[in-house]
């Protein structure tokens, strides 16, 4: 009978777990790491980005996102949408081609790979014969033209990837048609470019590396015009009326060639070198687009004078007499132009540029061509992320005030709406407003709307104005001077080079009820800020806290503290600092918490912790935790790296100021600096997280950094006896020690003039001396204590002060529950010592049931150094579920993880991207979107080849929107049978 009951209880518990817990990686926020290819579909209005690790991401209207991953770990080199279809083709650097489709399933679209293909040459042919260098997705939607390194053009039928050998254009065919005097002088080299005639799809221009361009008739299978350019070819563009071809070249020139004339002589080409007389870099891409009422737009990338500005990453925009060289922040991957009108053939409206570190969109219809703010793909790493902090369920008043402060920072952006609008976002509105705060190396804190699929920038706080920094006032090159040539204009926000690494934000705590914010930095600085809707000029005075408390024999070898500005500083609307605490020694702040009801901030470093009253601007408590053997704690985590980082920073400044000496090596140098910075950050992270390396057995007290404060916690609980609750501060250290201090707060009416006092109450030394990473007090019902002011705002029930409270101490190796006020051990849960698991991150979360709105449980969410997630029950500390989440080798990903109060989390998968995950069945944020097959009108068939083999039932069906049977067939495809629909039509086309 007992066995039966236990089994019944276990099955009931399993059912409950299924209602509460489910692990899912839901969406990636931020900017793709190492992008390598860009594509755009005007008919779908979708943007595609491929990267070096083989990922392909699609973006449309905000909230419309798709992601696919190639099985091959190879870089995506090209992305091409098939015109007027939901398919796209990717080319990888292993020379494989892949077909993807957006298939509808249960009312939502999903990105699926439906085919792959690799060109095979004749037996014994060298690889260059089939190495693809240029791809043209033909307007028929049925053909791909593939230009190769060997100079051949292969014609492949899609979506089935069937090579049409009889239509291939061999190098011999082309060579035999070229006048002897040209071929005698030059070897044609690879196919650099393929472009279709916009008014006659039977004609394509084939551009060869050495400069020769051939206009080829696909129907008649012969060359109809030769264009003998003399410079190395970079790109070609066929003007919309079909009358001219533009070619851009490696010497910084571009040429205009008339189409349809007799073979052009070299002398007749209209050549222009926009940035003139000295040697220039290549123009890698050129585009010319007409406008309805004025002169056309001419846009090209590159072409800068090699000696003076060879390190600039520029796109030049010319219209009429206006010319601007958009100076971008990193290497240009590609660009395209969005056009107005239902058929996307109207005036150019926006320029979209993908560079290595961000996406920049320029409004081409507003005077001055301002930047349009991106609602997604925002570079989180504009300055390197150093910490994160998540706040759930933000009150509407605070939300609106933060938005208002952010809007005042964004007046330089265009007022035009976001121009990429493809797909439908079918996700429900977020049930609550959530904020993600990221701290950065340059002393800024960014506020992100993390409520939904798009991580949207709301507001940016900078703390640098409080201090004198190493910034060079002559170092600002953002704006070109009047009359400067080339006419540079700096665009983009990526700027990873911090003026002073001591500014780096290490800890953040925001009270969502009071609007108080505290941030702490690398050089022991703690700022307390409040939200102000008006600009204010004020002086911020530093309160110095000596954490060594006069201990002798210690000499700080690390960086110096930041110098505080003595004069008043004008702070813009938003969060404004009004109090500053400066720790001495100025070590990295390792723990921080704020209690806005008591007006107190607690902070800790590797030397000790302190308590600060920010209402009276007084120190309440200073406690030194330094062990006599903690010599490493006196070096400071920046001391080993500071001089290298400073020299790197100065080298970079010299690179930027020098316009001559380092041009050829700029790209390599920038990459080296980034790599070095990444290595140094990793080293710093490992130093801060030294316990990862510790052995499983009990640690000795002479381990380094035993005094480092890992966690701080405020609680109103029972410390002296079981009948009187009192405010308290708890601190946990790297050496397994927990300190508790009883706080006496004066009555509210005397709070401004009577001092807050603190006296030591308890001290616990864990036997195994493992670092204490979390402290939680549970009330009489076993529930975690509510946040400050949460009860006052009727958002949480009052804690139970009748029953006995319990103290939960989370160390790296175990969870231990003590009774209060006696502090006697009650129960514990050990993490497995076998595989070396250590607690890395811990948080309290509420898990709501997916079946019952009224039921839910609190639990501890734990991330280990193995990358596993655990949920531990409260108050019983039993293991509920375990899921693998992060690779154990990804130390920085594990260190960056932050949990939400509702069972979700974020961690960095690259310097520029957060992965979002959910452990909850109720709270899941993921893309839910639909992309429909575009319908486009019958008169577009005039843009399609009409000869046998190109025209087909498949093609006509795609474009005859009046035929009800066709509409019905398309609707079927949206309901999940799209692949067979495509295959049937391809078969009919072949037949």
């Amino acid at each position: 009978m007992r066995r039966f009951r236990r089994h019944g209880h276990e099955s009931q518990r399993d059912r409950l777990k299924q209602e509460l817990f489910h692990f899912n990686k839901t969406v990636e926020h931020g900017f793709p790491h190492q992008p390598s290819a860009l594509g755009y579909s005007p008919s779908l209005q979708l943007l595609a980005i491929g990267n070096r690790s083989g990922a392909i991401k699609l973006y449309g209207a905000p909230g419309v996102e798709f992601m696919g991953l190639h099985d091959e770990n190879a870089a995506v080199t090209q992305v091409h949408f098939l015109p007027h279809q939901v398919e796209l083709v990717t080319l990888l650097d292993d020379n494989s081609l892949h077909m993807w489709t957006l298939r509808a399933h249960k009312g939502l679209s999903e990105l699926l790979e439906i085919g792959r293909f690799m060109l095979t040459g004749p037996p014994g042919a060298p690889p260059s014969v089939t190495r693809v260098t240029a791809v043209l997705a033909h307007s028929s939607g049925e053909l791909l033209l593939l230009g190769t390194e060997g100079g051949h053009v292969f014609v492949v039928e899609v979506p089935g990837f069937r090579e049409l050998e009889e239509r291939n254009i061999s190098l011999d065919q082309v060579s035999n048609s070229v006048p002897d005097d040209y071929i005698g002088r030059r070897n044609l080299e690879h196919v650099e470019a393929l472009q279709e005639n916009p008014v006659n799809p039977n004609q394509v221009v084939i551009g060869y590396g050495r400069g020769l361009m051939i206009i080829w008739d696909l129907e008649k299978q012969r060359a109809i015009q030769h264009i003998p350019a003399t410079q190395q070819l970079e790109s070609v563009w066929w003007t919309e009326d079909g009358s001219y071809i533009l070619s851009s070249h490696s010497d910084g020139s571009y040429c205009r060639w008339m189409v349809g004339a007799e073979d052009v002589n070299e002398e007749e080409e209209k050549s222009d070198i926009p940035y003139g007389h000295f040697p220039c870099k290549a123009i890698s891409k050129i585009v010319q687009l007409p406008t309805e009422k004025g002169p056309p737009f001419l846009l090209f990338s590159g072409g800068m004078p090699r000696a003076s500005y060879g390190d600039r990453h520029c796109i030049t925009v010319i219209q009429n007499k206006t010319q601007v060289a958009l100076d971008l922040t990193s290497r240009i991957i590609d660009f395209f132009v969005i056009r107005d009108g239902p058929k996307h053939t109207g005036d150019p409206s926006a320029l979209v540029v993908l560079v290595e570190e961000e996406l920049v969109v320029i409004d081409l219809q507003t005077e001055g061509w301002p930047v349009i703010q991106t609602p997604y793909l925002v570079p989180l790493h504009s300055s390197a992320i150093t910490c994160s902090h998540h706040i759930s369920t933000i009150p509407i008043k605070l939300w609106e005030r933060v938005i208002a402060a952010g809007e005042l920072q964004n007046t330089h952006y265009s007022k035009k709406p976001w121009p990429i609008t493809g797909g439908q976002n079918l996700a429900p509105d977020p049930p609550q407003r959530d904020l993600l705060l990221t701290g950065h190396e340059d002393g800024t804190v960014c506020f992100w709307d993390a409520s939904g699929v798009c991580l949207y920038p709301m507001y940016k706080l900078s703390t640098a104005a409080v201090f004198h920094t190493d910034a060079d006032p002559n170092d600002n090159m953002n704006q070109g001077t009047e009359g400067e040539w080339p006419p540079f204009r700096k665009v983009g926000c990526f700027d990873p080079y911090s003026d002073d690494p001591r500014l780096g934000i290490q800890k953040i705590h925001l009270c969502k009820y009071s609007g108080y914010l505290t941030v702490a930095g690398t050089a022991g600085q703690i700022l307390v800020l409040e939200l102000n809707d008006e600009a204010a000029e004020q002086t911020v005075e530093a309160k110095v806290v000596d954490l060594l408390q006069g201990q002798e024999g210690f000499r700080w070898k690390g960086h110096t503290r930041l110098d505080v500005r003595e004069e008043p500083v004008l702070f813009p609307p938003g969060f404004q600092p009004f109090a500053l605490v400066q720790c001495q020694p100025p070590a990295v702040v390792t723990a921080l918490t704020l209690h806005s009801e008591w007006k107190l901030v607690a902070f800790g470093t590797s030397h000790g912790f302190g308590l600060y009253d920010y209402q009276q601007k007084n120190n309440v408590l200073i406690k030194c935790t330094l062990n006599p053997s903690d010599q490493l704690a006196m070096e400071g985590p920046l001391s080993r790296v500071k001089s290298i980082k400073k020299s790197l920073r100065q080298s970079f400044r010299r690179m930027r100021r020098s316009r001559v000496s380092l041009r050829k090596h700029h790209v390599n140098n920038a990459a080296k600096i980034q790599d070095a910075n990444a290595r140094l950050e990793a080293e710093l992270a490992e130093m801060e997280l030294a316990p990862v390396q510790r052995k499983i057995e009990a640690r000795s007290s002479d381990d380094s950094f035993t005094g480092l404060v890992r966690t701080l916690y405020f609680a109103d609980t029972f410390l002296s006896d079981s009948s009187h609750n009192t405010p308290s501060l708890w601190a946990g250290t790297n050496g397994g020690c927990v300190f508790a201090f009883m706080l006496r707060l004066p009555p509210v009416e005397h709070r401004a003039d009577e001092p807050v006092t603190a006296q030591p109450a308890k001290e616990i030394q864990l036997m195994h001396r493992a670092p204490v990473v979390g402290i939680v007090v549970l009330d009489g019902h076993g529930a975690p204590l509510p946040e400050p002011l949460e009860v006052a705002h009727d958002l949480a029930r009052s804690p139970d002060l009748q029953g006995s409270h319990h103290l939960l101490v989370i160390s790296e190796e175990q969870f231990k529950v003590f009774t209060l006020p006696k502090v006697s051990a009650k129960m514990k849960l050990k993490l497995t010592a076998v595989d070396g698991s250590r607690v890395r991150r811990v948080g309290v979360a509420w898990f709501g049931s997916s079946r019952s709105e009224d039921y839910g449980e609190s639990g501890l969410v734990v991330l280990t150094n193995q990358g596993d997630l655990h949920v531990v029950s409260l108050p019983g500390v039993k293991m509920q579920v375990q899921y693998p989440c992060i690779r154990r080798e990804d130390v920085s990903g594990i260190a960056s993880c932050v949990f939400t109060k509702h069972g979700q989390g974020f961690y960095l998968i690259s310097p520029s991207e957060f992965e979002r995950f959910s452990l909850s069945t109720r709270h899941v944020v993921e893309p839910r979107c639909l992309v429909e097959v575009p319908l486009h009108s019958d008169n577009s068939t005039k843009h399609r080849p009409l000869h046998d083999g190109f025209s087909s039932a498949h093609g006509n069906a795609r474009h005859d929107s009046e035929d009800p049977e066709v509409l019905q067939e398309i609707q079927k495809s949206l309901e999940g049978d799209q692949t067979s629909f495509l295959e049937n039509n391809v078969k009919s086309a072949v037949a």
Side-chain angles (χ1 to χ4, degrees), residues 597-632:
E597 198 169 355
W598 301 342
K599 303 285 195 299
L600 298 174
V601 169
F603 51 90
T605 73
S606 52
H607 306 121
F609 59 92
L611 182 63
Y612 178 74
D613 176 353
Y614 62 80
Q615 181 172 355
Q616 296 185 23
K617 298 188 178 177
N618 275 332
N619 295 327
V620 176
L621 162 68
I622 302 169
K623 170 71 175 174
C624 179
T625 56
L626 198 62
N627 186 296
S629 61
D630 273 358
Q631 286 303 321
L632 267 180

Side-chain angles (χ1 to χ4, degrees), residues 83-386:
H84 309 292
Q85 297 176 40
V86 289
E87 284 77 48
L88 66 152
V89 173
T90 55
L91 172 67
L92 306 189
D93 70 355
D94 66 359
N95 207 40
S96 60
L97 287 152
H98 300 255
M99 180 69 68
W100 297 81
T101 188
L102 287 165
R103 180 184 295 169
H105 178 65
K106 296 182 179 179
L108 298 174
S109 297
E110 51 188 4
L111 182 63
L112 298 172
E113 184 178 352
I114 56 171
R116 62 186 65 189
F117 173 73
M118 194 171 281
L119 276 178
T120 52
S128 62
V129 170
T130 54
R131 180 82 190 171
V132 178
T133 54
V135 178
L136 171 62
H138 195 270
S139 61
S140 64
E142 299 164 16
L143 296 176
L144 282 182
L145 275 69
L146 308 174
T148 68
E149 202 173 277
H152 307 281
V153 177
F154 293 83
V155 182
V156 175
E157 190 177 62
V158 287
F161 281 137
R162 186 171 73 91
E163 187 183 334
L164 303 176
E165 292 186 23
E166 69 280 4
R167 301 198 173 277
N168 289 347
I169 306 163
S170 72
L171 185 60
D172 290 341
Q173 286 174 279
V174 173
S175 300
N176 292 336
S177 70
V178 177
D180 290 340
D181 60 340
Y182 187 92
I183 199 134
R185 291 205 317 268
R186 299 201 178 277
N187 161 29
L188 297 184
E189 288 192 357
H190 61 281
V191 176
E192 182 65 53
L194 290 166
Q195 279 273 321
E196 182 180 334
N197 187 338
V199 297
N200 182 358
N202 287 330
Q203 294 179 1
V204 294
V205 60
I206 306 169
Y208 291 92
R210 277 290 175 90
L212 177 72
M213 288 164 278
I214 302 282
I215 298 179
W216 188 268
D217 191 302
L218 293 169
E219 184 177 12
K220 297 173 183 172
Q221 291 280 292
R222 66 182 182 85
I224 56 176
Q225 187 175 342
H226 302 87
I227 302 172
T230 56
Q231 288 292 337
Q232 190 84 15
L233 185 69
E234 292 288 328
S235 75
V236 299
W237 179 263
W238 210 320
T239 59
E240 194 167 78
D241 59 4
S243 57
Y244 289 95
I245 286 174
L246 273 65
S247 61
S248 70
H249 300 275
S250 61
D251 64 345
S253 68
Y254 70 89
C255 309
R256 188 183 304 270
W257 312 88
M258 184 175 283
V259 175
E262 294 297 318
D263 277 0
V264 185
N265 293 322
E266 292 174 18
E267 292 75 24
E268 291 176 7
E269 67 180 80
K270 292 188 176 178
S271 178
D272 186 12
I273 303 179
Y275 293 111
H277 310 289
F278 297 104
C280 292
K281 295 196 76 173
I283 292 178
S284 55
K285 181 174 180 176
I286 190 162
V287 171
Q288 181 178 301
L289 293 169
T291 58
E292 194 176 325
K293 297 178 181 175
F297 272 90
L298 180 68
L299 307 96
F300 58 85
S301 56
M304 287 291 120
R306 188 176 293 275
S308 310
Y309 303 108
D311 63 334
R312 299 285 185 105
H313 311 285
C314 291
I315 288 184
T316 298
V317 185
I318 303 172
Q319 196 212 14
N320 205 358
K321 294 179 181 177
T322 306
Q323 177 169 343
V324 171
L326 300 170
D327 187 5
L328 292 135
T329 57
S330 49
R331 186 174 63 88
I332 296 166
I333 306 296
D334 202 354
F335 70 90
F336 63 84
V337 178
I338 297 175
R339 302 176 68 180
D340 278 344
K343 296 178 188 174
H344 316 289
T345 55
D347 284 1
S349 61
L351 165 66
V352 180
V353 187
L354 177 67
V355 297
E356 206 158 39
E357 304 292 355
E358 62 184 314
L359 185 82
V360 177
V361 181
I362 306 292
D363 174 3
L364 295 177
Q365 294 185 338
T366 301
E367 189 177 353
W369 298 334
V371 173
I372 300 174
Q373 186 171 19
T374 53
Y376 47 71
L377 288 170
V378 184
L380 307 176
H381 63 317
S382 292
S383 172
I385 294 176
T386 47

Side-chain angles (χ1 to χ4, degrees), residues 623-803:
K623 170 71 175 174
C624 179
T625 56
L626 198 62
N627 186 296
S629 61
D630 273 358
Q631 286 303 321
L632 267 180
M634 298 312 296
E635 289 188 13
L638 278 182
S639 62
R640 299 196 313 198
V641 301
K642 183 191 172 193
S643 58
I644 306 173
K645 291 188 81 170
K646 189 169 184 179
S647 65
L648 285 171
R649 204 162 59 251
Q650 289 168 346
S651 299
F652 182 67
R653 285 216 192 93
R654 283 197 295 273
M655 278 169 56
R656 289 202 290 176
R657 283 197 287 266
S658 159
R659 290 290 175 234
V660 182
S661 58
L662 295 175
R663 298 307 171 207
K664 293 180 182 176
H665 306 291
H666 171 75
V667 174
N668 290 337
N669 281 345
K672 284 175 187 171
I673 290 171
Q674 254 179 309
D675 288 347
N677 264 335
R679 285 197 301 272
L680 294 169
E681 292 301 331
E683 185 180 348
L684 181 56
E686 283 177 24
M687 291 177 68
E688 284 190 52
L689 302 172
V692 181
Q693 314 297 334
R694 296 189 189 283
K695 296 177 182 177
I696 290 167
E697 61 263 19
R699 295 115 193 252
S700 65
S701 59
D702 61 355
D703 275 354
S704 298
F705 284 115
T706 55
L708 185 143
V709 179
R710 292 287 288 269
T711 185
L712 291 160
Y713 181 75
F714 285 114
D716 189 350
T717 187
F718 301 96
L719 267 182
S720 55
D721 58 61
S722 54
S723 54
H724 298 94
N725 57 297
T726 177
S728 62
L729 170 67
W730 300 76
T733 72
N734 230 19
C737 197
V738 177
F739 299 94
F741 282 78
M742 201 182 302
L743 308 178
R744 194 197 72 81
L745 298 170
V748 176
E749 60 272 18
H750 297 296
R751 178 65 182 83
D753 43 42
E754 287 187 16
V756 178
T757 58
Q759 62 184 70
K762 307 283 181 190
E763 187 173 330
I764 307 167
Q765 177 64 61
L766 299 180
M767 294 295 289
H768 58 307
R769 299 184 181 276
V772 177
V773 294
I775 296 171
V776 179
V777 171
L778 307 173
D779 70 6
H781 292 303
L785 296 184
E787 292 179 27
L789 295 175
E790 198 171 13
V791 175
H793 284 78
D794 296 326
L795 293 167
R797 62 180 184 139
S798 296
D800 180 9
L801 297 174
Q802 302 304 316

Side-chain angles (χ1 to χ4, degrees), residues 18-92:
Q18 290 172 6
E19 291 177 24
L20 296 173
F21 311 115
H22 177 69
F23 176 68
N24 195 13
K25 292 183 180 180
T26 55
V27 66
E28 292 177 5
H29 296 301
F31 184 78
H33 186 49
Q34 297 180 324
S36 53
L38 176 69
Y40 179 67
S41 169
S43 57
L44 296 177
Q45 295 190 62
L46 290 180
L47 162 85
I49 295 176
N51 75 359
R52 287 189 219 164
S53 57
I56 177 84
K57 297 187 177 185
L58 272 58
Y59 300 89
V64 176
E65 296 184 11
F66 302 94
M67 180 184 167
L69 190 62
H70 296 86
D71 292 337
E72 298 81 358
N73 188 18
V76 181
T77 56
Q78 296 189 44
V79 180
H80 299 273
F81 284 90
L82 301 190
H84 309 292
Q85 297 176 40
V86 289
E87 284 77 48
L88 66 152
V89 173
T90 55
L91 172 67
L92 306 189

Side-chain angles (χ1 to χ4, degrees), residues 870-949:
H870 301 261
V871 178
V872 177
S873 67
L874 292 175
V877 290
K878 288 186 170 53
M879 202 66 79
Q880 300 280 69
V881 287
Q882 175 182 350
Y883 304 103
C885 180
I886 309 174
R887 289 181 305 107
R888 60 185 295 178
E889 300 82 19
D890 186 4
V891 176
S892 58
I894 292 170
S896 67
C897 185
V898 58
F899 297 123
T900 79
K901 298 288 185 189
H902 293 96
Q904 297 184 66
F906 302 80
Y907 67 93
L908 288 171
I909 51 174
S910 76
S912 57
E913 293 167 288
F914 276 113
E915 176 86 69
R916 186 177 191 137
F917 62 85
S918 175
L919 289 159
S920 167
T921 53
R922 190 185 291 181
H923 289 272
V924 182
V925 174
E926 60 186 349
R928 297 175 61 82
C929 32
L930 177 66
V931 175
E932 298 183 341
V933 179
L935 302 174
H936 88 285
S937 63
D938 217 359
N939 57 15
S940 69
T941 54
K942 72 182 182 185
H943 291 301
R944 297 163 43 78
L946 299 174
H947 63 283
D948 182 45

Side-chain angles (χ1 to χ4, degrees), residues 493-507:
C493 59
F494 177 71
D495 182 15
Y497 302 99
S498 169
D499 288 315
D500 193 327
R502 296 174 298 171
L503 288 169
I505 304 295
Q506 297 295 332
K507 297 290 172 185

